[in-house]
Amino acid sequence: MEAEAVTAGRLAVALLVTLGVATPAAAQRVDGAVRVVLKFVKRDAGAGVRFDPATCATCSPIADANWNADNDRETVIALSIPRMRTLELGFRRGAANVRRVILEGGDVPFRQEGDRLIVAVPPVGSDAITAAEVATHIVEPGMVLRFEHADPARRAGDYAQGRFPAVQRAAANALEFAQREVVRELGLGEWMEHDRLGRIQIMGFDTNAPHNHRDAPPHMHMHLRWPDNTGTQIGHYYIGGDGLLSYNVVGVKGLGAPQQRFGRGQSFTTVAPDGQAIYTHRITPEGWLELGRSGAAPCLIRPLGEGGFAAGASVACPGGTPRRIRVADDLAAGVLSVDTNAVHEVFRYDRDTGALLSPTAVPVPPPSVFVNDG
């Protein structure tokens, strides 16, 4: 506990006194321009579209390989375009094979003129580069779980070749929802919301390298994004081919604190903007995970069977009822299923974007209805 407190204190000091903003490596950028990524969803496997520069003399392709993609599902094209201009951009070749064009998380209008596809692009004030991501966001008080849909047809970047990390991705799926269960059990999300300490973000890893986010080796996260994006301690809990956790590398987004590595048996504590210790992760010697409020007895997350966490996870918190969690993602149907003991949850999502389609809140009653809150 003493070593844990020292680590948390040092990280808190580094976070609070360091004000230098880290600048990520960027694709080509032109003065007075912004970067956009457009996703052209295909009707079926076939040729993808290509940008026609004759339709925009002030636009230019971004050549970085992992900012672009062409697979059986879609074509992804990255461009540098004039900032805050209403544009109609042309694309040639597979125009008839396009059924949707996506910018960020939504559709933009398009039409076909001969062999050319014309896409209406609204005024873009800053980089809009997330269209290639395929993830579902499940939002709860003080927490968001980002579930990445690992589609082998979209594999790219470090996952483009070799054995697809199916075991590690299944393990990350179970660990994401196991951590959600701990957040709920311990009231961590409500605490973040009430005290305005930020938002907990639970994630796995992308296998499609959207906008060159290579996201390798396989891992999962649970981090606290401070209010107004002033700092984020991001733990990367790496998952081996056996479906178990191996080590954690913590980076800090938005501030200049150095990375730190925590092996099995070592604890890492996430801190609030004021340096307050919030919650602690510890990978056990077996490759399991302990997670709890800082200074309190933790919950234990352990695998359900062979294949490590790929088979599912068991969550046991002090004084609570153990929960068995299994996760299944049906990419063809766009259905994510989560079983927590006997409770069967179903999340339906847009297969092209990952956007959640299931309802997220109970509709409010009409104003004349009396509701007894007692």
Side-chain angles (χ1 to χ4, degrees):
M1 292 298 293
E2 181 179 351
E4 175 187 314
V6 170
T7 298
R10 287 176 177 169
L11 181 57
V13 170
L15 292 171
L16 293 170
V17 304
T18 308
L19 298 177
V21 176
T23 302
Q28 300 102 310
R29 185 189 297 274
V30 179
D31 289 343
V34 293
R35 296 169 298 179
V36 298
V37 172
L38 294 170
K39 178 191 287 186
F40 300 81
V41 181
K42 297 180 179 179
R43 299 182 185 278
D44 50 52
V49 296
R50 296 291 182 271
F51 174 60
D52 182 356
T55 61
C56 181
T58 52
C59 300
S60 59
I62 294 173
D64 296 41
N66 283 324
W67 282 71
N68 303 275
D70 186 49
N71 54 56
D72 288 349
R73 301 273 191 270
E74 63 224 4
T75 301
V76 176
I77 295 178
L79 299 168
S80 175
I81 67 171
R83 180 181 179 276
M84 292 301 294
R85 301 292 182 178
T86 301
L87 305 172
E88 290 198 341
L89 306 181
F91 299 84
R92 291 190 178 277
R93 291 184 63 184
N97 196 30
V98 173
R99 62 179 176 83
R100 296 178 72 180
V101 181
I102 295 167
L103 174 64
E104 296 290 79
D107 293 81
V108 291
F110 64 94
R111 67 183 187 276
Q112 190 171 346
E113 293 183 353
D115 65 346
R116 181 187 285 168
L117 193 77
I118 305 298
V119 178
V121 178
V124 180
S126 59
D127 290 350
I129 61 173
T130 67
E133 296 183 7
V134 185
T136 299
H137 294 81
I138 300 169
V139 180
E140 299 184 4
M143 187 205 79
V144 58
L145 186 152
R146 171 196 156 100
F147 187 93
E148 301 82 357
H149 301 285
D151 185 351
R154 292 183 170 103
R155 62 187 301 181
D158 292 345
Y159 301 106
Q161 304 295 327
R163 177 178 294 180
F164 191 72
V167 169
Q168 295 96 322
R169 187 56 260 187
N173 295 349
L175 283 162
E176 286 187 68
F177 281 96
Q179 289 186 118
R180 180 188 74 154
E181 205 64 27
V182 174
V183 169
R184 286 179 162 190
E185 178 75 14
L186 302 183
L188 294 175
E190 287 84 354
W191 180 16
M192 300 304 98
E193 191 96 352
H194 181 271
D195 289 7
R196 300 181 181 178
L197 299 177
R199 172 171 282 179
I200 294 170
Q201 299 199 333
I202 296 174
M203 306 181 192
F205 64 98
D206 288 309
T207 56
N208 54 323
H211 52 86
N212 202 31
H213 184 216
R214 304 179 76 88
D215 224 12
H219 55 280
M220 64 88 183
H221 318 69
M222 174 175 153
H223 57 270
L224 177 64
R225 190 177 297 280
W226 289 355
D228 301 318
N229 235 3
T230 53
T232 306
Q233 306 135 75
I234 306 177
H236 300 78
Y237 297 85
Y238 289 97
I239 306 169
D242 57 2
L244 297 172
L245 295 168
S246 51
Y247 62 96
N248 170 25
V249 174
V250 178
V252 181
K253 183 176 182 179
L255 298 171
Q259 285 190 342
Q260 297 184 58
R261 176 178 171 136
F262 300 85
R264 288 184 175 181
Q266 295 180 301
S267 298
F268 166 65
T269 297
T270 294
V271 299
D274 60 0
Q276 176 184 192
I278 301 296
Y279 53 80
T280 298
H281 283 81
R282 175 180 175 267
I283 301 174
T284 71
E286 301 90 349
W288 306 346
L289 185 66
E290 290 179 348
L291 169 60
R293 288 199 184 212
S294 180
C299 302
L300 176 62
I301 303 172
R302 59 186 295 174
L304 280 181
E306 295 183 2
F309 287 105
S314 171
V315 177
C317 294
T321 302
R323 296 172 176 85
R324 297 164 65 87
I325 296 172
R326 289 186 171 88
V327 180
D329 187 19
D330 187 337
L331 294 167
V335 177
L336 169 63
S337 301
V338 182
D339 291 301
T340 306
N341 286 352
V343 177
H344 181 69
E345 289 183 272
V346 177
F347 301 92
R348 296 188 181 274
Y349 60 87
D350 184 323
R351 295 171 57 233
D352 301 324
T353 67
L356 185 63
L357 302 178
S358 296
T360 58
V362 177
V364 298
S368 62
V369 174
F370 173 76
V371 178
N372 184 0
D373 295 327

